Amino acid sequence: MIDTAAQLDERNKIQKFPAGTQFTAETLSTLGRDVLLAGWVGLAQPGSAESTLIGVLLPGDRIGTVLDPRLCTAIALTPISLTAEDINSNTMREINHLIRQCARMCHLDALDRVEDFFLESYERLESVELASGRIFEFPLPQAILGNILGLSAAHVNRVIKQLQVLARIKMVGRTVTLLGHANFAASVPPPES
């Protein structure tokens, strides 16, 4: 059966939500949309807010892939847009992020943890053409970054300053430039595709 133009428009409809919107697998199934087109989404323990983040989803990720009512829900950290269109053929992308997040939390010191998070964010944004030239926009405040990485906001601030002194990153406002991460990147295996 051939879809009419009206059916195609309805299926590809984009829905927008403000920062702070919470999602569960059930709410996403009623929306019929779970591919993140724009914005950043935090993964949190069920029933909690931004204070217990365990990871983030970026544009191109499917939100519903990792939601489990016993393990995690999602909260929009920035304004977001969702669609039903499958723009990401790599269905393991979200799972790979959570595995890398676990490895980062268990095995890296604060300096390498922050740098690896920036590197991974860049790689994920670059894969959907939202970053290039080792430069990307990082919309999250340091308090949320610290929450994701198990660090205080003050510690994140000190680490970012140290990374800049070491010429490993440059951060101006919300723009991050990755400078000297080549040696570190080689020590962390990339997620399998």
Side-chain angles (χ1 to χ4, degrees), residues 132-176:
S132 65
R134 302 283 185 208
I135 301 169
F136 67 101
E137 293 299 312
F138 188 76
L140 304 181
Q142 290 180 2
I144 291 178
L145 177 59
N147 184 329
I148 294 165
L149 298 177
L151 305 168
S152 70
H155 197 169
V156 168
N157 187 281
R158 286 190 302 272
V159 166
I160 288 173
K161 287 179 182 176
Q162 187 175 4
L163 287 168
Q164 291 185 86
V165 167
L166 295 170
R168 289 164 66 172
I169 69 164
K170 177 181 174 186
M171 191 166 192
V172 178
R174 298 204 179 273
T175 302
V176 176

Side-chain angles (χ1 to χ4, degrees), residues 100-117 119 149-151 168 184 187-189:
R100 187 164 175 176
Q101 176 72 354
C102 288
R104 186 170 29 239
M105 296 296 290
C106 295
H107 300 290
L108 299 180
D109 63 24
L111 195 73
D112 289 340
R113 196 180 298 176
V114 171
E115 184 179 30
D116 185 62
F117 185 84
L119 175 61
L149 298 177
L151 305 168
R168 289 164 66 172
F184 175 70
S187 68
V188 177

Side-chain angles (χ1 to χ4, degrees), residues 90 92 96 190-193:
N90 180 0
M92 290 301 293
N96 286 339
E192 293 182 25
S193 297

